[in-house]
Protein backbone atom coordinates (compact mmCIF):
# COMPACT_ATOMS: atom_id res chain seq x y z
CA UNK A 1 0.00 0.00 0.00
CA UNK A 2 1.01 3.58 -0.59
CA UNK A 3 1.99 5.87 2.25
CA UNK A 4 -1.02 7.99 3.13
CA UNK A 5 -2.56 9.48 6.26
CA UNK A 6 -3.15 6.97 9.05
CA UNK A 7 -0.56 4.47 7.80
CA UNK A 8 2.17 3.13 10.02
CA UNK A 9 5.42 3.57 8.12
CA UNK A 10 8.85 2.12 8.86
CA UNK A 11 11.87 3.78 7.27
CA UNK A 12 15.61 3.53 7.39
CA UNK A 13 17.15 6.94 6.95
CA UNK A 14 20.40 8.83 6.94
CA UNK A 15 20.33 12.56 7.52
CA UNK A 16 23.21 14.72 6.33
CA UNK A 17 23.80 18.45 6.13
CA UNK A 18 24.95 20.20 2.96
CA UNK A 19 28.57 19.50 3.89
CA UNK A 20 27.85 15.77 3.89
CA UNK A 21 28.26 15.30 7.65
CA UNK A 22 25.96 12.58 9.00
CA UNK A 23 23.69 14.21 11.60
CA UNK A 24 21.54 11.18 12.34
CA UNK A 25 20.97 7.72 10.94
CA UNK A 26 18.92 4.63 11.68
CA UNK A 27 21.74 2.44 10.36
CA UNK A 28 22.51 -0.35 12.79
CA UNK A 29 19.22 0.24 14.62
CA UNK A 30 15.58 -0.67 14.17
CA UNK A 31 13.93 1.36 11.42
CA UNK A 32 12.04 4.46 12.53
CA UNK A 33 8.30 3.77 12.80
CA UNK A 34 5.83 6.62 12.70
CA UNK A 35 2.17 7.36 12.01
CA UNK A 36 1.72 9.30 8.77
CA UNK A 37 -0.38 12.45 8.97
CA UNK A 38 0.00 13.07 12.70
CA UNK A 39 3.08 15.28 12.83
CA UNK A 40 5.26 12.52 14.29
CA UNK A 41 8.10 13.55 11.97
CA UNK A 42 9.05 16.89 10.40
CA UNK A 43 6.46 18.14 7.89
CA UNK A 44 8.79 18.27 4.88
CA UNK A 45 9.78 14.63 5.23
CA UNK A 46 6.23 13.47 5.91
CA UNK A 47 5.03 15.19 2.75
CA UNK A 48 7.91 13.81 0.67
CA UNK A 49 7.18 10.23 1.73
CA UNK A 50 3.51 10.36 0.80
CA UNK A 51 2.70 7.95 -2.04
CA UNK A 52 5.82 5.79 -1.66
CA UNK A 53 5.53 2.04 -1.07
CA UNK A 54 7.62 -0.50 0.84
CA UNK A 55 10.89 -1.07 -0.98
CA UNK A 56 11.08 2.47 -2.36
CA UNK A 57 14.17 4.59 -1.80
CA UNK A 58 14.22 8.35 -2.02
CA UNK A 59 16.54 11.30 -1.52
CA UNK A 60 14.72 14.28 -0.14
CA UNK A 61 15.98 17.77 0.56
CA UNK A 62 14.02 19.51 3.31
CA UNK A 63 14.44 23.25 3.71
CA UNK A 64 14.60 24.64 7.27
CA UNK A 65 11.06 26.05 6.96
CA UNK A 66 9.77 22.48 6.49
CA UNK A 67 12.24 21.05 8.97
CA UNK A 68 13.28 22.49 12.34
CA UNK A 69 12.50 26.06 11.32
CA UNK A 70 14.80 29.01 10.63
CA UNK A 71 17.18 30.23 13.31
CA UNK A 72 15.42 32.86 15.38
CA UNK A 73 17.45 35.72 16.80
CA UNK A 74 14.87 36.23 19.57
CA UNK A 75 15.86 32.83 20.98
CA UNK A 76 19.43 34.03 21.50
CA UNK A 77 19.55 35.73 24.91
CA UNK A 78 22.17 37.36 27.03
CA UNK A 79 21.59 36.35 30.65
CA UNK A 80 23.39 37.98 33.61
CA UNK A 81 26.14 35.77 35.02
CA UNK A 82 24.56 35.97 38.50
CA UNK A 83 21.53 34.06 37.18
CA UNK A 84 23.85 31.05 37.30
CA UNK A 85 24.56 31.38 40.99
CA UNK A 86 26.18 28.25 42.35
CA UNK A 87 27.57 27.12 39.02
CA UNK A 88 31.33 27.64 39.05
CA UNK A 89 32.26 26.75 35.51
CA UNK A 90 30.22 27.83 32.51
CA UNK A 91 31.58 26.82 29.14
CA UNK A 92 30.48 27.11 25.54
CA UNK A 93 28.34 24.15 24.59
CA UNK A 94 26.81 23.61 28.03
CA UNK A 95 23.02 23.50 28.21
CA UNK A 96 20.86 25.41 30.65
CA UNK A 97 17.29 26.56 31.16
CA UNK A 98 17.08 30.33 30.92
CA UNK A 99 14.35 31.82 33.12
CA UNK A 100 12.64 34.41 30.96
CA UNK A 101 9.45 36.44 31.14
CA UNK A 102 7.97 33.85 28.76
CA UNK A 103 8.99 31.00 31.06
CA UNK A 104 11.98 28.67 31.04
CA UNK A 105 13.76 28.31 27.70
CA UNK A 106 16.41 25.64 27.21
CA UNK A 107 19.52 26.98 25.58
CA UNK A 108 23.09 26.16 24.70
CA UNK A 109 25.86 28.49 25.86
CA UNK A 110 27.38 30.16 22.79
CA UNK A 111 29.34 32.91 24.56
CA UNK A 112 30.40 33.67 28.11
CA UNK A 113 32.27 36.50 29.83
CA UNK A 114 32.54 37.93 33.37
CA UNK A 115 29.09 39.53 33.30
CA UNK A 116 27.01 37.74 30.72
CA UNK A 117 26.19 34.29 29.45
CA UNK A 118 24.68 34.09 25.98
CA UNK A 119 22.26 31.23 25.47
CA UNK A 120 20.99 30.04 22.09
CA UNK A 121 17.57 28.42 22.45
CA UNK A 122 17.29 27.42 18.81
CA UNK A 123 17.01 23.73 17.96
CA UNK A 124 20.46 22.51 16.92
CA UNK A 125 19.06 21.78 13.45
CA UNK A 126 17.26 25.13 13.07
CA UNK A 127 18.39 26.87 9.90
CA UNK A 128 19.95 23.68 8.56
CA UNK A 129 18.95 22.23 5.20
CA UNK A 130 18.30 18.53 5.75
CA UNK A 131 19.28 15.90 3.19
CA UNK A 132 17.50 12.63 3.82
CA UNK A 133 18.32 9.32 2.15
CA UNK A 134 15.32 7.19 2.98
CA UNK A 135 14.36 3.60 2.40
CA UNK A 136 10.79 2.54 3.11
CA UNK A 137 10.80 -0.89 4.74
CA UNK A 138 7.15 -1.30 5.72
CA UNK A 139 3.77 0.33 5.24
CA UNK A 140 0.66 -0.92 7.02
CA UNK A 141 -2.71 0.36 8.10
CA UNK A 142 -2.76 1.76 11.60
CA UNK A 143 -5.13 0.34 14.18
CA UNK A 144 -8.04 2.47 15.38
CA UNK A 145 -6.26 2.84 18.70
CA UNK A 146 -3.02 4.05 17.07
CA UNK A 147 -4.97 6.64 15.06
CA UNK A 148 -6.82 7.70 18.21
CA UNK A 149 -3.54 8.08 20.14
CA UNK A 150 -1.67 9.69 17.24
CA UNK A 151 1.33 7.38 17.50
CA UNK A 152 2.54 3.86 16.71
CA UNK A 153 2.12 1.07 19.23
ZN1 LIG B 1 -0.84 5.08 22.57
Amino acid sequence: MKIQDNCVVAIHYTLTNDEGDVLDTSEGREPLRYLQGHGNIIPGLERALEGLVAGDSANEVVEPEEGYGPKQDMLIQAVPREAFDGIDVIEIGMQFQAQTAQGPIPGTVIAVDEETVTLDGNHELAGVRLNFAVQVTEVREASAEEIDHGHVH
Side-chain angles (χ1 to χ4, degrees):
M1 66 185 292
K2 285 185 176 176
I3 296 177
Q4 56 194 289
D5 285 357
N6 298 326
C7 281
V8 171
V9 183
I11 56 169
H12 272 298
Y13 67 93
T14 295
L15 169 60
T16 52
N17 60 17
D18 282 351
E19 287 71 50
D21 304 319
V22 174
L23 304 174
D24 190 14
T25 180
S26 65
E27 209 173 300
R29 290 189 275 148
E30 287 287 299
L32 170 73
R33 287 193 164 73
Y34 75 94
L35 183 60
Q36 178 82 5
H38 289 258
N40 291 178
I41 61 174
I42 57 170
L45 184 59
E46 187 169 66
R47 190 164 317 134
L49 290 170
E50 198 169 300
L52 299 185
V53 298
D56 280 353
S57 294
N59 290 296
E60 302 292 348
V61 178
V62 177
E63 299 293 334
E65 289 70 20
E66 295 283 292
Y68 294 93
K71 251 196 196 303
Q72 297 182 60
D73 290 343
M74 59 174 289
L75 293 179
I76 298 174
Q77 311 210 4
V79 181
R81 179 69 177 78
E82 55 261 33
F84 299 85
D85 208 18
I87 301 164
D88 293 335
V89 181
I90 297 179
E91 290 175 332
I92 287 170
M94 292 172 83
Q95 298 199 317
F96 290 102
Q97 300 266 350
Q99 304 300 329
T100 73
Q102 293 78 42
I105 295 178
T108 303
V109 176
I110 57 168
V112 59
D113 64 25
E114 304 274 291
E115 265 117 61
T116 320
V117 177
T118 307
L119 291 177
D120 183 351
N122 285 288
H123 188 283
E124 61 180 324
L125 294 179
V128 176
R129 193 183 1 206
L130 308 169
N131 302 279
F132 284 97
V134 176
Q135 196 185 8
V136 181
T137 62
E138 188 192 346
V139 183
R140 67 163 169 86
E141 277 182 59
S143 69
E145 194 183 40
E146 286 172 322
I147 293 168
D148 189 41
H149 288 199
H151 57 232
V152 177
H153 286 167

